[in-house]
Amino acid sequence: MTFKQSAHPLLLIPGSIEVADNVLEANGSPSMSHTHQPFIGIFQSALQNLRKLFKSTDHKAQAFVISGSGTLGWDIVASNLIKPKEDALVLSTGFFSDRFADALTTYGVNTDVIRADLGDYVSYEEIEKALGRKKYKIITITHVDTSTAVLSNVEEISKIVKKVSPETLIVVDGVCSVAVEDIEFDKWGIDYVLTASQKAIGVPPGLSISFISGRALDVALNRDVDTTYFASLKRWDIIMKAYESGKGAYFATPSVQLINALKVSLENILCKPLDERFKLHIENSDWFKGELEKLGLKLVSKKHAGCHALTAAYFPEGVTGANLFPLTSKRNVVFAGGVHKDIATKYFRVGHMGVSVVDRDDTKVALEAIKESLLELSVKS
Amino acid sequence: MTFKQSAHPLLLIPGSIEVADNVLEANGSPSMSHTHQPFIGIFQSALQNLRKLFKSTDHKAQAFVISGSGTLGWDIVASNLIKPKEDALVLSTGFFSDRFADALTTYGVNTDVIRADLGDYVSYEEIEKALGRKKYKIITITHVDTSTAVLSNVEEISKIVKKVSPETLIVVDGVCSVAVEDIEFDKWGIDYVLTASQKAIGVPPGLSISFISGRALDVALNRDVDTTYFASLKRWDIIMKAYESGKGAYFATPSVQLINALKVSLENILCKPLDERFKLHIENSDWFKGELEKLGLKLVSKKHAGCHALTAAYFPEGVTGANLFPLTSKRNVVFAGGVHKDIATKYFRVGHMGVSVVDRDDTKVALEAIKESLLELSVKS
């Protein structure tokens, strides 16, 4: 830990997460030409390492890194993998799944949503029934919905899709799951994972990162109607392939410093076995959720449906964001409020991803801040 | 000049440009919550200062800062200010103007292009005639086309539009002009300027920055058909207004560090009078272009049409990128090759914007590197 981390408030929201010093340093690196070395080598390394992060060895699959927010990933899906009037099945486990449906609808896609009970994942029976009733072009799974901390089982759902409707493209919103939860891209037969830089990948916000299967890429490249310019995978595919093979290319100026930061963060992540990383996140999350329950807090996600990237917990009686957060802030820890419309003011969220879990004991700091603040509140009242 | 700038190759391409140390430092700052202080104040400052950069006091106008490349600005125009089947008039002064037309066409816009002679701007007579023949929803002006170094006179063209077709929205691609060339947004009656962070604004790449008039914003907000989700000004307008008034809001996670860098760079820019900045760029550009001509190099932009952000010059007889650039690289200066399809291999481009002009003598370094390299080549041959 060097020059940067001194005395800034510990950010334990479910993204942006805390960023390692060498990643921040890469993000502060001087200007480089986007079509020359050393940047070509940097981008090449990032694209190659993304394959490892998704455990993919299929050479037809391709990583895409495009300047933008995680949200841009929804536009990419809506404007590359499916056309207006085609059908999409959205599995909704919260606010972010619903917004994915909004984005699809904006592009004229017919969107059916199966909504899980609050805190639960979508029932496999309902998925199977829906897939049997209609031929869907895509199914979308929000791997971890950041509004509820619900984890969907991508492997199980993929099995159902492969059985009932194998042509349906399996699209995973991995914004809050990639680099926390295991994703076996090839093995599970996933077609598209979208994510962003600022969650467990551990880079400042500003990159839309995705990984696409060969068959989904075929759909994008052979599309006859273009409904986007900037988010067109047709235009980006040759660029990504050029950089990954060690050549510069140009469609739009890439975010040079953020990609440099991505390269460094992927190296940080991949220097240890991925499965150990996932295990650490599971153990840490289980421990933290258990500790909050010992304090009497009720979790938003049901026991069998909890993710490992964050914890969403209801405030205890008499506690609100307005009285709790000033006390946790005083202890120099920043948490997030709720975003699920049904319960927005009734719960809060604690992120536990990346360096906070792998290299530091930030979740313990979070627990102490919550304990002390609740105690202070109870003494006051 | 502190920790960062040591010994990196001097980047004098027409974007990304060299970035000031305090801006790099801001870009390397630790994570902050995007919906809390201090980030709210940072974003507020950036949005307020963008008004000053565009010399606008019209409270109906609004700045937008969205994660993405400069290219995203074309999608914003194509999906917010004009609808499929409506008419756009594109003034083309090179490769980037033509690509703006491509982007509009992708969204189903009927696009008429008036193409200037290579190195020249579009004739005012032709513009007037075209505007008289058809009612265009928008006219696009590429203020500086980075492929040719041609400057279009936005003030004069705006006068023609106001005279012949006052309802036509005036859209300026200011990617390579904002913070180099004067833009009097209110006074000239401009409706939309799109730009990016990595040119004269002096921030690493990754932000699409734009400024919109009240009447153009009305068009975007009252649009009945949505053709984009991420690039929708309807969705972003409330977010920008919230941050500018000192409140957090959420549509997609903003690029926190890049916006912090933008805030610092705008402060750097605005601590001196803007007109002095523009004058410095003009004097420096005139001097550099003159020096290249003294060396016998022919410029791509005609004398009356030259911009002040970059110089595009033909290689002298016997010189190519392949033999010149290794020699300039040896002198630790990076230039850019050509991108205009008719002459791509025949010329090169030197950027002279921002700190390189205002705070340093980088253009002199560029000239020396070119002189010495040409001499070395002539001795060799």
Side-chain angles (χ1 to χ4, degrees):
Chain A
M1 297 297 145
T2 56
F3 68 107
K4 293 283 181 189
Q5 302 292 357
S6 54
H8 79 277
L10 188 60
L11 190 63
L12 296 179
I13 65 175
S16 304
I17 71 163
E18 287 284 307
V19 174
D21 270 19
N22 60 351
V23 177
L24 289 179
E25 211 156 343
N27 206 46
S29 58
S31 299
M32 286 178 261
S33 166
H34 50 290
T35 54
H36 291 89
Q37 294 292 1
F39 179 68
I40 292 173
I42 289 167
F43 204 171
Q44 181 179 33
S45 162
L47 289 166
Q48 289 172 342
N49 276 337
L50 282 169
R51 293 182 186 274
K52 295 182 192 162
L53 188 62
F54 290 103
K55 299 185 172 178
S56 174
T57 56
D58 180 359
H59 69 277
K60 286 184 187 152
Q62 181 63 50
F64 287 80
V65 179
I66 302 175
S67 306
S69 306
T71 299
L72 180 66
W74 297 335
D75 286 70
I76 295 175
V77 171
S79 58
N80 286 276
L81 303 187
I82 189 162
K83 289 185 212 167
K85 304 230 160 75
E86 288 185 333
D87 293 297
L89 180 63
V90 171
L91 309 185
S92 176
T93 47
F95 173 79
F96 289 95
S97 324
D98 284 343
R99 287 193 57 213
F100 199 164
D102 279 353
L104 291 166
T105 308
T106 299
Y107 282 84
V109 170
N110 294 330
T111 307
D112 293 337
V113 181
I114 311 181
R115 220 165 254 115
D117 291 339
L118 179 62
D120 208 347
Y121 50 71
V122 175
S123 103
Y124 299 148
E125 271 179 27
E126 283 193 64
I127 299 171
E128 187 159 348
K129 256 193 247 166
L131 287 171
R133 268 198 303 267
K134 206 189 265 186
K135 272 290 157 233
Y136 288 101
K137 184 63 180 279
I138 65 171
I139 181 172
T140 77
I141 309 162
T142 301
H143 199 178
V144 169
D145 195 302
T146 323
S147 72
T148 54
V150 166
L151 176 70
S152 291
N153 189 325
V154 174
E155 186 178 12
E156 284 306 314
I157 297 168
S158 296
K159 279 184 193 160
I160 299 169
V161 179
K162 299 293 172 196
K163 190 180 71 178
V164 185
S165 180
E167 313 78 27
T168 301
L169 297 177
I170 300 172
V171 175
V172 176
D173 179 337
V175 168
C176 201
S177 77
V178 171
V180 169
E181 312 285 357
D182 191 18
I183 296 182
E184 306 261 0
F185 191 88
D186 296 354
K187 205 169 135 193
W188 299 348
I190 303 170
D191 289 293
Y192 193 76
V193 178
L194 64 104
T195 189
S197 49
Q198 80 278 7
K199 307 253 176 177
I201 287 179
V203 171
L207 296 177
S208 159
I209 297 168
S210 53
F211 202 75
I212 192 169
S213 72
R215 71 169 186 163
L217 191 55
D218 279 345
V219 169
L221 298 184
N222 294 310
R223 190 180 173 88
D224 51 1
V225 190
D226 287 329
T227 50
T228 181
Y229 187 75
F230 182 63
S232 164
L233 295 184
K234 254 188 227 172
R235 297 182 193 271
W236 284 112
D237 184 54
I238 40 176
I239 307 299
M240 297 301 141
K241 288 187 163 63
Y243 277 100
E244 193 168 354
S245 70
K247 288 191 286 277
Y250 178 73
F251 170 60
T253 306
S255 294
V256 169
Q257 276 81 351
L258 279 170
I259 290 171
N260 194 18
L262 174 64
K263 178 228 177 212
V264 172
S265 197
L266 288 171
E267 284 168 354
N268 289 349
I269 290 170
L270 294 167
C271 74
K272 292 178 197 163
L274 269 179
D275 289 338
E276 268 178 35
R277 178 183 177 85
F278 300 142
K279 194 162 159 267
L280 266 177
H281 278 91
I282 291 171
E283 286 167 359
N284 178 73
S285 174
D286 287 350
W287 169 80
F288 184 69
K289 287 179 168 64
E291 290 294 315
L292 288 196
E293 286 181 317
K294 279 186 209 163
L295 292 177
L297 273 63
K298 200 173 157 276
L299 304 184
V300 174
S301 59
K302 295 188 195 301
K303 200 112 198 163
H304 61 275
C307 77
H308 311 100
L310 75 148
T311 297
Y314 290 98
F315 294 119
E317 188 76 30
V319 177
T320 63
N323 61 24
L324 183 67
F325 291 152
L327 302 184
T328 51
S329 288
K330 205 173 70 180
R331 290 168 174 88
N332 225 22
V333 187
V334 181
F335 300 123
V339 287
H340 192 290
K341 65 177 173 27
D342 297 344
I343 50 170
T345 59
K346 296 181 182 158
Y347 76 111
F348 68 110
R349 296 174 301 148
V350 179
H352 30 74
M353 297 175 243
V355 288
S356 285
V357 173
V358 176
D359 300 320
R360 307 191 212 157
D361 276 336
D362 291 348
T363 323
K364 280 188 188 151
V365 179
L367 182 66
E368 283 315 303
I370 292 167
K371 272 187 184 171
E372 288 175 18
S373 301
L374 288 176
L375 190 65
E376 193 178 337
L377 269 180
S378 70
V379 170
K380 269 187 192 166
S381 63
Chain B
M1 296 298 144
T2 58
F3 69 106
K4 292 284 180 189
Q5 302 292 356
S6 54
H8 80 276
L10 187 60
L11 190 63
L12 295 179
I13 64 176
S16 306
I17 71 163
E18 287 283 308
V19 173
D21 270 19
N22 61 349
V23 177
L24 289 179
E25 213 156 340
N27 206 46
S29 58
S31 299
M32 286 177 262
S33 166
H34 51 290
T35 53
H36 289 88
Q37 294 293 1
F39 179 69
I40 292 173
I42 289 167
F43 204 172
Q44 180 179 33
S45 162
L47 290 165
Q48 289 173 342
N49 276 336
L50 282 169
R51 295 182 185 272
K52 295 182 192 162
L53 188 62
F54 290 103
K55 298 183 171 178
S56 174
T57 56
D58 180 359
H59 69 277
K60 288 184 188 153
Q62 181 63 51
F64 287 80
V65 178
I66 303 176
S67 305
S69 306
T71 299
L72 180 65
W74 297 335
D75 286 71
I76 295 175
V77 171
S79 58
N80 288 276
L81 303 187
I82 189 163
K83 288 185 213 167
K85 303 230 160 73
E86 288 185 332
D87 293 296
L89 180 63
V90 172
L91 309 185
S92 174
T93 48
F95 173 79
F96 289 95
S97 323
D98 284 344
R99 287 192 58 213
F100 198 164
D102 279 354
L104 291 166
T105 308
T106 298
Y107 282 85
V109 170
N110 294 331
T111 307
D112 293 337
V113 181
I114 313 182
R115 222 165 252 116
D117 291 338
L118 179 62
D120 207 347
Y121 50 71
V122 176
S123 104
Y124 299 149
E125 272 179 25
E126 283 193 65
I127 299 171
E128 188 160 345
K129 256 192 247 166
L131 288 171
R133 269 197 303 267
K134 208 188 262 184
K135 273 290 157 231
Y136 289 101
K137 184 64 179 279
I138 65 170
I139 180 171
T140 77
I141 308 164
T142 302
H143 199 180
V144 168
D145 196 302
T146 322
S147 72
T148 54
V150 166
L151 175 70
S152 291
N153 189 324
V154 174
E155 186 179 11
E156 284 306 315
I157 298 167
S158 295
K159 279 183 194 161
I160 298 169
V161 179
K162 299 293 172 196
K163 190 179 72 177
V164 186
S165 180
E167 313 78 28
T168 300
L169 297 177
I170 299 172
V171 175
V172 176
D173 179 338
V175 168
C176 200
S177 76
V178 171
V180 169
E181 313 284 358
D182 190 19
I183 296 182
E184 306 263 0
F185 191 89
D186 296 354
K187 205 170 134 192
W188 300 348
I190 303 171
D191 289 293
Y192 193 77
V193 178
L194 64 103
T195 190
S197 48
Q198 81 278 7
K199 308 252 176 177
I201 287 179
V203 171
L207 296 177
S208 160
I209 298 168
S210 53
F211 201 75
I212 193 169
S213 70
R215 71 168 186 164
L217 191 57
D218 278 346
V219 169
L221 299 184
N222 294 310
R223 192 180 172 89
D224 51 2
V225 190
D226 287 330
T227 50
T228 182
Y229 187 75
F230 182 63
S232 164
L233 295 185
K234 253 188 229 174
R235 297 182 194 272
W236 283 111
D237 184 53
I238 39 175
I239 307 300
M240 297 301 142
K241 287 187 163 64
Y243 277 100
E244 194 169 354
S245 70
K247 289 191 285 277
Y250 178 74
F251 169 60
T253 306
S255 294
V256 169
Q257 276 81 350
L258 279 169
I259 290 171
N260 194 17
L262 174 64
K263 179 231 177 210
V264 172
S265 197
L266 288 171
E267 284 168 353
N268 289 348
I269 290 171
L270 294 167
C271 73
K272 292 178 197 163
L274 270 180
D275 289 338
E276 268 178 34
R277 179 184 177 85
F278 300 142
K279 194 160 160 265
L280 266 176
H281 278 90
I282 292 171
E283 286 168 358
N284 179 73
S285 175
D286 287 351
W287 168 82
F288 185 68
K289 287 179 168 64
E291 291 294 316
L292 288 195
E293 286 182 316
K294 279 186 206 162
L295 292 176
L297 272 64
K298 201 173 156 279
L299 304 184
V300 174
S301 59
K302 294 188 197 301
K303 200 107 197 167
H304 61 275
C307 77
H308 311 101
L310 75 147
T311 296
Y314 289 99
F315 293 119
E317 188 76 31
V319 176
T320 64
N323 61 26
L324 183 67
F325 291 152
L327 302 184
T328 50
S329 287
K330 204 171 73 180
R331 290 170 174 86
N332 225 22
V333 188
V334 180
F335 301 123
V339 287
H340 192 290
K341 67 176 171 27
D342 298 344
I343 52 169
T345 60
K346 295 181 181 157
Y347 76 111
F348 69 109
R349 297 174 301 149
V350 178
H352 30 74
M353 295 175 244
V355 287
S356 286
V357 172
V358 176
D359 300 321
R360 307 190 212 158
D361 276 335
D362 290 349
T363 324
K364 280 188 187 150
V365 178
L367 182 66
E368 284 315 303
I370 292 167
K371 271 186 184 171
E372 288 175 18
S373 300
L374 289 176
L375 190 66
E376 193 179 335
L377 269 181
S378 70
V379 169
K380 269 188 191 165
S381 64

